[in-house]
Every structure is written in structure tokens, then in C-alpha cells.
Amino acid sequence: MKPIIQIRDVHKYYGDYHALRGINVDIGEGEFFSLLGPSGCGKTTLLRTIAGFEDLSQGTIHIDGRLMEGVPPNKRPTNMVFQSYAIFPHLTVAENVGFGLRRDPRTPAQKAAAVEEALEMVGLKGYGGRAAHALSGGQRQRVALARALILKPRVLLLDEPLSALDKKLREQMQSELRRLQRQVGITFILVTHDQEEALIMSDRIAVMFEGQIAQLAPPQELYRRPVTRQVAEFIGVMNFLPASVATVNGARIDVEVAGLGTVELAAEQCPGGARSGKGSVGFRPETLTILFEGETPRGRVAEGTVEEVTYYGDMTYYGVVPDGVDVPLTISMRNLVGRRVLERGERTRVAWDPAALVLFC
Amino acid sequence: MGATGANRGQPAIMDAKTRWGRFRRSEAASGLLLISPTALYALLMLAVPLAAILLYSVLTDGYLTVEWTPTLANYAEAWGDPLYRQVMLRSLFVSATVTLVTVLLAYPVAYYVSFHVSPSRKSLWLFLITIPFWTSYLIRVFLWKVILGFNGVVNSSLMTLGIIDEPLTFILYNVNAVVITLAHAYAPFAILPIFVALEKIDRSLLEASQDLGESRLLTFWRVTLPLSMPGVVAAVLIVFIPTIGDYVTPQLVGGPEGRMISNAIQLQYLRLDNYPLGSALAVSAMAIVTAVSLVFLFLNRRFLRVRQQ
Ligand SMILES: Nc1ncnc2c1ncn2[C@@H]1O[C@H](COP(=O)(O)OP(=O)(O)OP(=O)(O)O)[C@@H](O)[C@H]1O
Ligand SMILES: [Mg+2]
């Protein structure tokens, strides 16, 4: 992977507030890269330092091999889709899309054709003459996208571009953005606080907390092997049980899990590193299986009581408290044909697989 | 509104009594009730004198009295006499110059306060800008007389510094003095609407422009300036309309060459006792102001239509 953006040891202070605390990351050419994190963790700040709207307090950013220090936003090979879209209200749709073409050496007719082509790419063919202030949210978002893409930037920065859209439109735009990114081959850096959106769209995701990158990984690895409990809690649902690490011995780790007994874990199941002492293990709801009458277990089995039943149609979510533990575990089960839905208070057996566990120390 | 809509489709003939009852309860009625004191006041103080002036302007001037003979001779004189035409053109020139100077000077101030003053300090700045209003308009005009006079602040400083040997005479009792004084008096009126328009501009638009490759200067030209035009047009109107009819400033600092239309009207009314001609001049001046204002209002409409979301 050839890096197009290299961020080295970047710090940013707002007065006394330490907004970025040593960011190091390489972003590859043509990659769909996401910055994911809770509100206020510094995602927008990082994006704006890349775009050139914020000065760095420390560290360097290289884009395309060029040091960006002192380079103003209008001289950087990046373009941004703003969270509010920032559509110019005094211009038409076509004038908005063609805004950045003023110094383009092409003839006005060629520019108009380029604008029309960009509008077609985002599905707004024929909207060029409309007044920009008369557009819907989704249309504005497309105009903002076309306006940036027409300049063929090396990197497109998107600051929560979908957060203002309703669920249905958001899902539609997610797949369209992904398709568009593959089509134009431009590096996309997407800021989002929606973990699902990040998982669906990205090649790699950087999870940020309090100005630092907690984990940088492809979606599958991030979901299956989160390095800390904080990351695990932020991405999807995860069950935690207290555990204590008995011995760490090379590739094998012996762990005593409350309510489940002793398990032997592989080193890769401790992505955050293992050491003896107190900790916790986590597992996703879909790695646990409720055993119905007559079903034979695969892996190990625990017994417990159903405390909560949430029926979603295609899925049922159970809260089961295993014997010897006082926290319910969330278990998701597909509602297959002929499979009944358990009642609250029922006793049940739960199959679990030690290979699905992740250890946090 | 809603009540009328809900009853659409019923027979059109309706009991007058219920219609009155509905009106009384409607929003329109409460609205009218709210504005009625102001409306009455405005009617008495504005419409009645206006009607009187309109009436006078088509009557004939007699010796010490006004004769009830309708005539257009006053208008013929007001528009035909080179003297009045000159005074009218001068008034237009003065207020256009004042407007231009004021708006050009006010824009940078408004821009500075809106873009470079921290939000917590903005109200302090606006407060400071309105300080000139704390003294009466008349006193401010007198102050300018002191500053610009033969032995005034400007002349004595320049002479002490040895820059000039004799007092400058072109700075008082002429058009220049009127322009300087009026521009100062109306500066806050121009700053405020421009400031408001600039405040309303979404700052991310300026960032977007820079992001799309424009420098700060071109961002100002392509984004900030067009979006602040409603404020500029408002400032132009707010300065232009009152200055064209200003009486005190030309009277005090204008001298004979600096007379404006209101001084001419005053002369007709109070000195020459020619109410009809004075009225005709007043009506003509109003018509001209209205025409110019309408042009600007039309411009503002165009800018406003773009701004509405
Ligand atoms: N101009 C500024 N001056 C002072 N503090 C700032 C400024 N901009 C951001 N901050 C602070 O820096 C921190 C990170 O802000 P940032 O906008 O990057 O968050 P974010 O991760 O984008 O959050 P969100 O998801 O809510 O947009 C926040 O605590 C914020 O208060
Ligand atoms: Mg943000």
C-alpha cells in the first residue's frame, strides 16, 4: 500500500485543551478510510488539520509526499464535504458545482459539460439550473459531493456527510458513496460516529478516543479482535465477564472466567496483550447459542435463566444469566422455522466457544 | 385564515353577524388591534400633514394668503426654475456622496467586528459604535463646525504644524463640510445592517470556498460580498433617505453654496410665506427619494430571494 497521507506525531491544542494527542497514521492511495469515535474525540479536528483549516501544534502531515506545513487549504490536493454541506445559497446548483473551476483552463462550454457530468455521476442530472437553496437534504449532499469530486482531488474528506439524512436515505447514500469511491479511485477519509456506517463502508477504520487512535484495523478485525474494552463497547454489542489470567505461557493463556470455568486462549485472542492478574473476557451475542430441546452442543455448555426476551421478527435477543454470575449475557438467535421463542424465567442451556472469546487485561 | 378555509364549500351567503363574530376572533382582528394605536398615531402625524402638503402644492399663492384656485404652476416652477433644479441636484449629489462614503467606510468596520472580534466582545463593540448617539445631533453638528471652522481644530493644528500658512477655507460653509458632517452622523446606521448581514453568513461557506481553491480575497469577492449585499442595500437606504432631506447640517455648516432642498423649502414656507411652492418642492423631493428607494428595494428583493432558505 502506497501511502498518500502520512500523519506523524500530530498534536493540537486549543488553548489549554489537548484535542489531538499524538496521532500517527498512514492512509493508502485509493483507500476508504474512516475516523470513528464518540462526540468530541477530535475527529473533525483531525480532518480539518488535513484540509489545512487548523494549524498543528506539533508534528507533520505529508500529502502525496509533500510537507503540508504552511500550505493553505486552497493549495492542498484535498477537498472537503462539510457536515452542513456549505452549499452557496446565492448560486445555482451548476454554479455551486462549477465553483472551483474558475481557474481551470478549459473553455466555458467544456466546463459546463464537466459540471453536467459531475451532476450525472451523483444522480442530479438536469438539476443544474435550480436555485441551491431549494434543494432537499439529500440533494444538497450530492451537490457538495459533485462540487468536490469535479476537482479530482487526491483525497476527499467527508465530515459526517450522512448524519443529517434519514435512515433510508442514509443507507442508500452509503452504498452510493462506496460505489462512487470505487469508480473514481480517490482516497476517501470519512468522519463518522456511527459504527455501523464505518463497518459497512471502510477498508480500514481508526477508532478514536480523547484525541488518540485506540485501534486502527480493517472492519472484521476491529469487530472480532478489539484491543480494549472501550473499543469493544463502541463497536457493536459485547458481553463481558470478569476473568483472571492464571498463567501466560507463550502462545497459550489460561484464564479463569466467572461462571464459565477455565479456558485456554490463543495469543491472538488477547489483541491488547496479556499479563496475569484480573481482567475481563468479552464475546459477541452471535457467538453464544441457546440450546433447544434435543440439540447437541458444539463447544462448551453453561446453564442459566432467561431474564429478558426482545423479539425483532427475524431475530430474538435474549438476556440470559448463567449460574454463578449476576450479569445477563445478550444472546442473539435467528428465528428459524419451527424454533420457538423462550419465555422469561425459563431455564436454558447456552453453548459457547472459547475460540470466540477476547481477553482484556 | 384557518376558519375561512375550514368553511369553504358552504353557501356563500352568510349571516353578517357571524362573519363579524368570526372576524373579531380571528388573528387578523387581534393583529389590527395591536397595531391600531401606532397606526392611528402614524395616520395623524404623517398622513394628515402629507395630505395638507399635497393639497397646498396645487393651490395658488396669494399675498399673505393661499387662494383656492387649483394650479400646476408651482410644480412648473419647482421643476423648471434652474435655481431649484440646482438645489435639488445638489441634494441628490450630497446624499449620494454621503451614502457612498458612509457605506464604504462602514463596511470594513462591520467586517472587522463580525469576523475579527471575538464573540464575547462583539456587543461591547456595537455599544461603542453607538456612542455618538449619546449626544444630540445638533451638538454633533456644532462640534463639526468647531472642528472645521476658520480658527477651528483642523486649521489651527495644520497651521501650528506649519503645513499651511493660511486657514483652509474649503472645509467649512460648503458642500464638503455637509458631506463630512453627515457621513459621520450616519456611520452607525450603515454599520449595523451590514454587520447583521455579515453575521448571518455561515462561516463554513467561506471555508468551502477556500477548500475549492479560492484565496481569501476571492472568497470575499465571490461569497462574502454577494451574501452581505442585503445589508449593504439596507445601509444605502437608511443613509440615503434621511440625508437627502437633512435640514440642520446644511443650515449650520453648509453656507450659501451648501444649501439643500430642505433649506429651500424652509425658505419658501417661513421666510417668503409661499406655502404652495414650498409644498410643491417638498412633494417633488419626496417623489425623487421614492423613485431612488424603489430601485434599491427592487435590488434588495433580488438578493433576498436568493437568501431565503
Ligand atoms: N475552535 C475550537 N476551540 C476550542 N476547542 C475546540 C475547538 N474546536 C474543537 N474544540 C474541542 O476539541 C474537541 C474535539 O472537537 P472535534 O470537533 O474534533 O470533535 P468531533 O470528534 O468531531 O466530535 P463530533 O462527533 O461531535 O463532531 C472538543 O472537545 C471540542 O470542544
Ligand atoms: Mg465533528
Side-chain angles (χ1 to χ4, degrees):
Chain A
M1 179 185 76
K2 183 169 162 276
I4 186 159
I5 297 189
Q6 293 160 295
I7 299 174
R8 288 284 170 275
D9 193 30
V10 162
H11 288 260
K12 172 72 188 173
Y13 287 89
Y14 289 114
D16 284 343
Y17 185 73
H18 201 170
L20 296 179
R21 307 179 180 184
I23 304 284
N24 280 290
V25 56
D26 281 2
I27 297 167
E29 185 137 27
E31 192 175 12
F32 199 123
F33 189 90
S34 290
L35 289 169
L36 174 66
S39 186
C41 70
K43 309 179 295 285
T44 298
T45 307
L46 183 55
L47 203 69
R48 288 171 59 84
T49 59
I50 298 172
F53 291 118
E54 304 281 354
D55 295 327
L56 303 181
S57 307
Q58 190 190 317
T60 57
I61 294 179
H62 285 80
I63 302 179
D64 224 0
R66 236 173 84 214
L67 180 63
M68 283 294 124
E69 195 171 326
V71 180
N74 50 329
K75 298 269 160 50
R76 296 196 180 198
T78 58
N79 280 117
M80 186 141 162
V81 174
F82 289 79
Q83 183 161 10
S84 58
Y85 308 144
I87 303 294
F88 302 115
H90 57 301
L91 303 178
T92 63
V93 168
E95 284 168 336
N96 262 284
V97 174
F99 190 90
L101 295 180
R102 187 181 56 83
R103 273 176 308 179
D104 193 300
R106 284 179 283 180
T107 66
Q110 285 171 322
K111 287 187 199 179
V115 167
E116 197 47 43
E117 192 187 322
L119 282 173
E120 193 174 343
M121 185 166 64
V122 297
L124 283 181
K125 196 173 191 300
Y127 279 67
R130 292 239 195 144
H133 59 79
L135 295 177
S136 73
Q139 289 168 337
R140 276 159 191 268
Q141 200 257 342
R142 288 157 202 256
V143 171
L145 208 57
R147 186 175 71 176
L149 286 175
I150 197 172
L151 302 177
K152 303 207 160 45
R154 301 301 312 274
V155 180
L156 185 70
L157 309 169
L158 303 112
D159 191 356
E160 308 206 18
L162 307 177
S163 62
L165 308 180
D166 64 56
K167 191 168 184 296
K168 196 143 191 195
L169 193 55
R170 191 162 62 228
E171 280 165 6
Q172 185 192 338
M173 286 307 299
Q174 279 167 355
S175 58
E176 256 180 67
L177 262 184
R178 193 75 181 103
R179 177 187 59 76
L180 213 60
Q181 193 262 344
R182 289 206 192 96
Q183 184 187 329
V184 295
I186 293 172
T187 307
F188 276 35
I189 304 182
L190 174 82
V191 161
T192 177
H193 60 241
D194 180 346
Q195 45 101 12
E196 209 169 279
E197 185 170 294
L199 290 177
I200 293 171
M201 299 173 77
S202 324
D203 294 322
R204 280 194 307 157
I205 301 169
V207 182
M208 286 181 71
F209 293 112
E210 291 169 1
Q212 283 175 317
I213 294 182
Q215 186 169 9
L216 175 59
Q220 294 200 14
E221 189 185 330
L222 197 64
Y223 187 79
R224 284 213 289 250
R225 301 277 180 249
V227 292
T228 63
R229 254 185 95 146
Q230 203 180 16
V231 174
E233 277 169 337
F234 196 73
I235 312 282
V237 181
M238 196 163 227
N239 295 300
F240 296 98
L241 284 176
S244 59
V245 181
T247 51
V248 182
N249 120 40
R252 288 269 152 214
I253 301 144
D254 290 323
V255 183
E256 171 75 31
V257 182
L260 299 182
T262 321
V263 286
E264 215 172 68
L265 301 182
E268 63 184 39
Q269 284 174 271
C270 316
R275 66 194 139 70
S276 41
K278 292 248 170 282
S280 56
V281 293
F283 33 90
R284 301 284 182 193
E286 67 277 7
T287 63
L288 297 168
T289 320
I290 290 197
L291 290 173
F292 289 90
E293 295 80 2
E295 283 181 343
T296 44
R298 268 190 329 171
R300 294 167 62 167
V301 176
E303 299 222 347
T305 313
V306 178
E307 290 250 307
E308 244 184 84
V309 181
T310 316
Y311 180 74
Y312 278 94
D314 60 336
M315 306 281 283
T316 305
Y317 278 75
Y318 295 102
V320 176
V321 181
D323 299 338
V325 188
D326 51 7
V327 282
L329 303 178
T330 304
I331 303 173
S332 64
M333 292 296 290
R334 242 171 208 297
N335 290 331
L336 301 179
V337 179
R339 180 181 278 177
R340 73 187 182 92
V341 175
L342 298 183
E343 305 273 326
R344 281 174 54 191
E346 261 186 80
R347 296 284 299 167
T348 184
R349 289 182 305 150
V350 176
W352 59 282
D353 186 351
L357 259 56
V358 187
L359 176 69
F360 305 103
C361 303
Chain B
M1 276 301 274
T4 347
N7 280 321
R8 191 179 298 153
Q10 280 190 2
I13 312 147
M14 203 181 282
D15 189 359
K17 214 170 168 181
T18 56
R19 197 180 286 181
W20 168 244
R22 271 205 340 208
F23 172 74
R24 248 185 16 189
R25 273 176 275 118
S26 71
E27 265 179 52
S30 56
L32 279 179
L33 206 69
L34 272 177
I35 63 161
S36 58
T38 328
L40 267 176
Y41 187 73
L43 200 70
L44 285 175
M45 292 296 149
L46 189 74
V48 172
L50 204 62
I53 287 173
L54 276 171
L55 184 63
Y56 269 132
S57 72
V58 291
L59 298 180
T60 313
D61 181 44
Y63 182 70
L64 289 182
T65 52
V66 173
E67 285 165 17
W68 287 84
T69 327
T71 174
L72 286 176
N74 303 311
Y75 283 103
E77 197 178 346
W79 289 85
D81 189 329
L83 189 72
Y84 297 130
R85 210 186 299 157
Q86 194 201 352
V87 172
M88 193 62 230
L89 283 176
R90 184 188 298 140
S91 299
L92 271 172
F93 170 77
V94 167
S95 64
T97 314
V98 168
T99 307
L100 189 74
V101 169
T102 315
V103 171
L104 281 184
L105 291 180
Y107 199 99
V109 177
Y111 186 89
Y112 180 80
V113 177
S114 179
F115 284 84
H116 295 290
V117 173
S118 74
S120 54
R121 293 265 167 115
K122 278 182 184 167
S123 48
L124 176 70
W125 272 77
L126 293 182
F127 177 72
L128 291 177
I129 285 167
T130 56
I131 277 189
F133 289 135
W134 293 15
T135 54
S136 106
Y137 179 44
L138 202 62
I139 290 174
R140 275 180 281 148
V141 179
F142 266 113
L143 279 175
W144 276 108
K145 208 168 164 160
V146 171
I147 293 169
L148 300 172
F150 194 77
N151 292 317
V153 177
V154 172
N155 277 329
S156 40
S157 329
L158 287 177
M159 286 211 298
T160 319
L161 289 172
I163 295 170
I164 52 170
D165 298 327
E166 297 177 357
L168 303 173
T169 49
F170 63 84
I171 54 173
L172 188 60
Y173 299 128
N174 56 24
V175 173
N176 297 336
V178 178
V179 171
I180 292 172
T181 310
L182 284 175
H184 170 251
Y186 282 91
F189 289 116
I191 293 173
L192 294 177
I194 298 173
F195 170 77
V196 170
L198 288 171
E199 280 292 283
K200 275 201 280 187
I201 297 176
D202 182 354
R203 298 307 193 250
S204 67
L205 295 176
L206 311 183
E207 290 190 339
S209 165
Q210 271 181 282
D211 188 69
L212 293 168
E214 291 299 14
S215 62
R216 280 164 184 274
L217 195 68
L218 270 149
T219 294
F220 174 80
W221 179 247
R222 295 185 70 189
V223 182
T224 316
L225 188 61
L227 288 176
S228 63
M229 275 323 271
V232 172
V233 170
V236 164
L237 285 176
I238 286 174
V239 177
F240 181 82
I241 294 175
T243 48
I244 199 169
D246 195 88
Y247 168 75
V248 175
T249 300
Q251 187 74 20
L252 290 180
V253 302
E257 323 163 23
R259 286 232 177 83
M260 285 169 55
I261 192 69
S262 44
N263 308 99
I265 296 168
Q266 187 260 1
L267 194 73
Q268 291 304 325
Y269 268 93
L270 301 183
R271 294 282 173 77
L272 306 179
D273 210 22
N274 189 345
Y275 279 31
L277 183 54
S279 302
L281 285 172
V283 172
S284 308
M286 266 190 289
I288 289 169
V289 171
T290 310
V292 175
S293 307
L294 282 178
V295 171
F296 278 98
L297 275 180
F298 173 73
L299 281 179
N300 213 12
R301 264 274 216 29
R302 288 201 38 189
F303 290 123
L304 280 179
R305 198 182 55 212
V306 157
R307 287 301 299 273
Q308 65 184 233
Q309 265 240 35

